[in-house]
Amino acid sequence: MTLPPSDDFGSIPIVDIRPLFDARDHEGALRVAHNIRKAAVEVGFFYIANHNVPADLVRAAYMCAKYFFRLPDEIKNSIAINGAHRGYVAFKQTVLEGARIADLKESFNFAYPFTPEHPEVLAGKPLVGLNQWLPNEATWRSILEDYYQHVFEAGQRVLEGIALSLDLKRDYFRSMYKHPLVRARLLHYPPQPPEAAAGQYGAAPHTDFGCITILWQDEVGGLQVRNRSGEWVPAPYIDGTFVVNIGDMLARWSNDLFVSTPHRVVNASGQERFSIPVFYDPDFDTTVECLPNCATADMPPKYDPIVAGDYITAKYDASYSYRQKKPAA
Ligand SMILES: O=C(O)CCC(=O)C(=O)O
Ligand SMILES: [Fe+2]
């Protein structure tokens, strides 16, 4: 039997981020930063505990997901995905780059609450626009908006940990999240039928596009993360936590110091599964170029500067049939 290289991972670490919520606990914050750095460099994935998003609110958002996906198709399709990628994406519309078969999932997408008069909206930037909510469902909407706001706050703390882990000022990323491309998604994976074709996934193997992703998942399980030996390591539900992972854009931003690790969802449980990823990306116009302290004499900056919104838009255009001219397979 060959053992994996000793630096390879067999599970996903848990980082208690509570010290990041106490401005006086500088020592604690540095400890968290150290743990985040280790996980971001070696695994690309970590759980966060003590994230300050109330358990009741998480539960309520889960119920909102269940409620929405049980509605008739006609109602879901009445708020079909718009050009700003907000609204309902039906089955068979998500074909991740490199996958042959569409993912077995449907989703509802919402994001930063822009108003029609916001300069970013008036400028017509891609992925920037108005959310679509079900009419006459004010409570459903307000729970999801509240969830978005709380996860946004948790994400700010995680970014503070990442900044400290790179010896940057704690608030280094804050000014880049004024009207951000932070996007939330309710996901519904029906049980994968036993006779499903090889290559049928809930979510085909992929890396996330952006900066970080903050994911809540239900207890059903099915998320798997690929280690460097090519083994699929389970990332099971752990009560009271979110799963955080590094996306392609942060890997690039960090000059590949941090890794964007492939992952997939295989829902072989026989039950339906729900999850809520929040793709935690900065303002459209953020310049993404090698972060301070990420280049060395041996490892000079590898990548040209890019605009965050352009980078993410290009990835979306490649992955969603509704954004392409040709119909989905
Ligand atoms: O549903 C999950 O657990 C993961 C979803 C995911 O990886 C994604 O939407 O990028
Ligand atoms: Fe993902």
Side-chain angles (χ1 to χ4, degrees):
M1 188 175 106
T2 48
L3 291 169
S6 57
D7 68 341
D8 212 342
F9 63 92
S11 63
I12 315 288
I14 303 176
V15 180
D16 178 351
I17 66 165
R18 190 196 304 273
L20 293 174
F21 290 91
D22 179 356
R24 294 157 308 174
D25 187 4
H26 192 60
E27 293 277 298
L30 289 179
R31 255 191 340 267
V32 175
H34 171 83
N35 293 334
I36 288 181
R37 181 182 175 111
K38 187 167 160 54
V41 167
E42 294 176 5
V43 183
F45 267 79
F46 50 99
Y47 291 90
I48 53 170
N50 292 317
H51 46 59
N52 255 15
V53 183
D56 285 353
L57 181 57
V58 174
R59 180 96 198 147
Y62 170 37
M63 291 303 129
C64 286
K66 279 195 150 174
Y67 172 75
F68 177 76
F69 291 115
R70 274 175 202 167
L71 292 170
D73 287 347
E74 190 188 318
I75 295 183
K76 292 187 280 191
N77 283 317
S78 72
I79 50 169
I81 195 87
N82 64 18
H85 201 78
R86 289 136 199 262
Y88 174 62
V89 180
F91 289 107
K92 302 215 165 148
Q93 292 199 338
T94 313
V95 187
L96 294 170
E97 254 176 310
R100 286 177 302 112
I101 307 176
D103 285 352
L104 194 55
K105 69 181 184 206
E106 57 181 337
S107 70
F108 172 72
N109 299 265
F110 58 105
Y112 182 81
F114 284 107
T115 56
E117 308 78 35
H118 195 286
E120 295 283 294
V121 175
L122 296 175
K125 293 193 178 142
L127 302 178
V128 168
L130 307 189
N131 284 328
Q132 300 199 79
W133 300 105
L134 291 171
N136 310 320
E137 295 286 3
T139 306
W140 177 78
R141 169 181 175 165
S142 80
I143 291 168
L144 292 175
E145 288 182 326
D146 200 20
Y147 183 80
Y148 179 95
Q149 197 48 46
H150 276 80
V151 174
F152 180 79
E153 288 306 324
Q156 287 297 297
R157 298 290 97 73
V158 175
L159 288 184
E160 288 176 14
I162 288 176
L164 289 174
S165 87
L166 295 171
D167 261 333
L168 302 174
K169 273 181 54 203
R170 188 167 171 156
D171 65 356
Y172 183 85
F173 293 102
R174 182 161 278 273
S175 64
M176 304 172 195
Y177 281 78
K178 290 196 291 288
H179 40 74
L181 296 176
V182 173
R183 304 174 310 287
R185 174 174 301 163
L186 309 180
L187 276 170
H188 173 221
Y189 301 90
Q192 192 159 315
E195 69 282 6
Q200 173 69 76
Y201 294 101
H206 68 282
T207 51
D208 289 353
F209 308 152
C211 184
I212 59 173
T213 305
I214 303 174
L215 171 95
W216 178 82
Q217 59 175 328
D218 70 11
E219 294 178 33
V220 169
L223 175 62
Q224 300 171 344
V225 177
R226 196 169 77 200
N227 71 14
R228 291 176 198 176
S229 321
E231 294 154 344
W232 290 98
V233 175
Y237 168 82
I238 300 179
D239 190 30
T241 66
F242 293 122
V243 177
V244 174
N245 63 290
I246 308 296
D248 300 340
M249 199 172 74
L250 181 55
R252 177 184 176 119
W253 212 349
S254 70
N255 208 29
D256 289 335
L257 172 67
F258 296 157
V259 288
S260 174
T261 300
H263 51 285
R264 67 183 187 184
V265 174
V266 182
N267 182 16
S269 63
Q271 300 167 54
E272 59 183 350
R273 175 179 188 267
F274 297 88
S275 69
I276 313 178
V278 174
F279 302 101
Y280 203 91
D281 297 338
D283 294 351
F284 193 100
D285 285 331
T286 307
T287 302
V288 173
E289 66 180 320
C290 186
L291 287 163
N293 306 329
C294 288
T296 59
D298 298 341
M299 182 70 85
K302 290 178 165 176
Y303 303 107
D304 291 336
I306 42 148
V307 173
D310 290 342
Y311 182 83
I312 293 162
T313 306
K315 297 272 191 175
Y316 267 73
D317 291 348
S319 291
Y320 286 91
S321 59
Y322 86 92
R323 300 183 74 87
Q324 297 161 1
K325 303 243 158 38
K326 63 179 169 42

